[in-house]
Amino acid sequence: LGPLASVAVAGGWMPDGRHVLVSGNESGKAPALWLLDVAGGPPKQLSPGGIYLDSRSSGVVSSDGRRVLCEGPDSRIGVFDLESKSLKPVPGVDLGLRFFGWGPDGRTLLAFELGQNPTPVYQVDGETGARRTLFEIPHAPWESTTLVRMAKDLKSYAFTTNSVLNDLYLMRGLR
């Protein structure tokens, strides 16, 4: 991985299918966006330090390959333009939102909200932050939605949940 001391697990395929966008950092430097060529060669830094991918943005690359959803130096979610090298924060994003794709119009973003039952799935306007609920995912009270994926036409989806089950034992008469 050339100059990179570490690479984050979160990343996204570029539309050409030959490159992967990842977060990585050189030793002693802030994380940045890097492009890896699957054929090999040194990684190419695409953003200044402090702009990176995380679990809330998941390395969501636009279908034209020009924009990526990421986190900025202030820990706010934003859209980074890979051509102009500018980051524009998405207004109104709270910590519970997890982004997983771009809407079919190429302008809106797809997200779900952690910790809700049922789990709302939104189409979020990248300019204004306005949300439109697409549907809700019902699940058992002890489950939480951890991943959502949708078809490009927004008509089909898949999701995963986590279940946390516990046993409680009551013991009497112990000394």
Side-chain angles (χ1 to χ4, degrees), residues 47-129:
S47 74
I51 295 176
Y52 56 95
L53 308 174
D54 78 344
S55 62
R56 295 188 304 149
S57 61
S58 301
V60 177
V61 179
S62 63
S63 59
D64 61 10
R66 294 183 6 223
R67 294 164 294 148
V68 62
L69 194 62
C70 58
E71 194 161 324
D74 58 0
S75 297
R76 290 177 59 197
I77 295 291
V79 175
F80 184 75
D81 187 304
L82 294 168
E83 293 175 353
S84 69
K85 308 294 185 209
S86 62
L87 177 67
K88 184 173 184 189
V90 177
V93 174
D94 56 52
L95 292 175
L97 279 184
R98 295 295 184 264
F99 290 89
F100 63 88
W102 290 82
D105 58 9
R107 187 180 56 78
T108 56
L109 302 159
L110 303 174
F112 69 95
E113 192 155 7
L114 286 179
Q116 302 293 318
N117 189 4
T119 301
V121 176
Y122 302 112
Q123 193 166 17
V124 180
D125 187 305
E127 298 286 321
T128 66

